[in-house]
Amino acid sequence: AQKITQTQPGMFVQEKEAVTLDCTYDTSDPSYGLFWYKQPSSGEMIFLIYQGSYDQQNATEGRYSLNFQKARKSANLVISASQLGDSAMYFCAMRDTTSGTYKYIFGTGTRLKVLA
Amino acid sequence: NAGVMQNPRHLVRRRGQEARLRCSPMKGHSHVYWYRQLPEEGLKFMVYLQKENIIDESGMPKERFSAEFPKEGPSILRIQQVVRGDSAAYFCASSHARPDGSEAFFGQGTRLTVV
């Protein structure tokens, strides 16, 4: 079965500094997608970034980048130049393709607090 | 630019009542997913539906919970005879049909409180 692991329940970062949120995954399928979502205190889920298993380059979206290390099965999110508005829960997710149902499975999340 | 629409945003039910949660997917999306989130926890998969079909309900409790996505109208998550443990945020997401590259877009969620 596929699995997503986020080992950091909480992280602190100083404003304007970079922070890395860890995510490891487990799958036997050669084809999969990895995603990061942000959940601010207001509760909505905001899509941040996507990495396909066959993508040669690490994905980037503005201040977000995904450090994809396929051999280590890790897909860490890097947020550069942290802002106070980045304080939120962050979830790593993978799209399940082994069973053919394509559901998304989520990690337990990391709560990021940006300090002024 | 209508995203995934969920209603109601907040729902209060007494124990034993029924809760009906609605989700309209983004235009052009044929796949709908329901997730449950308890406070300070991640999202737990419940069910995945396409129009008129349940594709994967491996995360649904065996009793009291049901879901549908009719040919016309929104997807409905129905909880019968609610208990206090059903209190949670329920999120609906939708995506395109193609695998891997399609991110799921989420609704604002329905916060169910059972009193």
Side-chain angles (χ1 to χ4, degrees):
Chain A
Q2 297 188 338
K3 187 178 179 182
I4 291 280
T5 302
Q6 294 180 255
T7 58
Q8 305 156 312
M11 291 280 287
F12 290 94
V13 64
Q14 205 66 38
E15 194 178 9
K16 299 180 185 177
E17 293 186 350
V19 63
T20 298
L21 306 183
D22 294 341
C23 172
T24 58
Y25 60 92
D26 189 19
T27 180
S28 56
D29 195 324
S31 177
Y32 50 89
L34 296 157
F35 307 80
W36 278 90
Y37 286 85
K38 172 184 179 181
Q39 187 178 42
S41 58
S42 50
E44 71 268 30
M45 293 288 288
I46 303 168
F47 165 72
L48 295 178
I49 196 166
Y50 161 79
Q51 180 84 44
S53 58
Y54 292 119
D55 292 345
Q56 295 295 316
Q57 294 190 327
N58 287 344
T60 60
E61 288 287 346
R63 294 186 300 110
Y64 304 109
S65 61
L66 202 152
N67 185 2
F68 182 45
Q69 299 189 40
K70 198 169 183 177
R72 294 186 176 184
K73 294 189 175 180
S74 73
N76 299 338
L77 177 69
V78 180
I79 306 175
S80 62
S82 296
Q83 302 172 355
L84 295 178
D86 293 334
S87 294
M89 280 289 285
Y90 289 82
F91 292 99
C92 181
M94 178 165 58
R95 193 167 195 189
D96 183 347
T97 59
T98 52
S99 60
T101 65
Y102 308 125
K103 65 178 181 278
Y104 300 79
I105 55 173
F106 286 80
T108 51
T110 296
R111 183 174 297 282
L112 177 66
K113 176 70 174 175
V114 180
L115 305 174
Chain B
N1 184 21
V4 179
M5 304 299 292
Q6 285 189 254
N7 67 81
R9 291 289 305 279
H10 300 275
L11 182 61
V12 179
R13 284 288 177 267
R14 295 187 183 278
R15 281 178 295 169
Q17 290 184 321
E18 178 181 288
R20 290 172 69 88
L21 287 61
R22 297 175 191 78
C23 169
S24 296
M26 281 184 70
K27 188 176 182 180
H29 285 186
S30 57
H31 293 208
V32 165
Y33 314 79
W34 284 95
Y35 290 84
R36 176 163 63 177
Q37 185 180 33
L38 295 172
E40 301 302 314
E41 293 190 10
L43 278 75
K44 299 295 186 187
F45 169 78
M46 298 182 74
V47 63
Y48 161 40
L49 311 105
Q50 296 177 19
K51 286 281 188 182
E52 300 184 282
N53 280 309
I54 296 175
I55 306 302
D56 183 345
E57 56 182 347
S58 57
M60 287 278 272
K62 297 291 183 230
E63 298 176 347
R64 301 187 298 109
F65 285 73
S66 62
E68 63 176 7
F69 189 16
K71 188 176 180 180
E72 301 290 338
S75 175
I76 305 288
L77 179 67
R78 183 182 179 205
I79 311 173
Q80 295 178 292
Q81 299 175 340
V82 295
V83 301
R84 289 230 169 98
D86 296 333
S87 295
Y90 292 83
F91 286 92
C92 168
S94 72
S95 75
H96 285 295
R98 61 184 187 274
D100 299 335
S102 300
E103 67 269 29
F105 291 86
F106 281 80
Q108 299 273 57
T110 294
R111 271 95 185 144
L112 172 65
T113 302
V114 179
V115 297

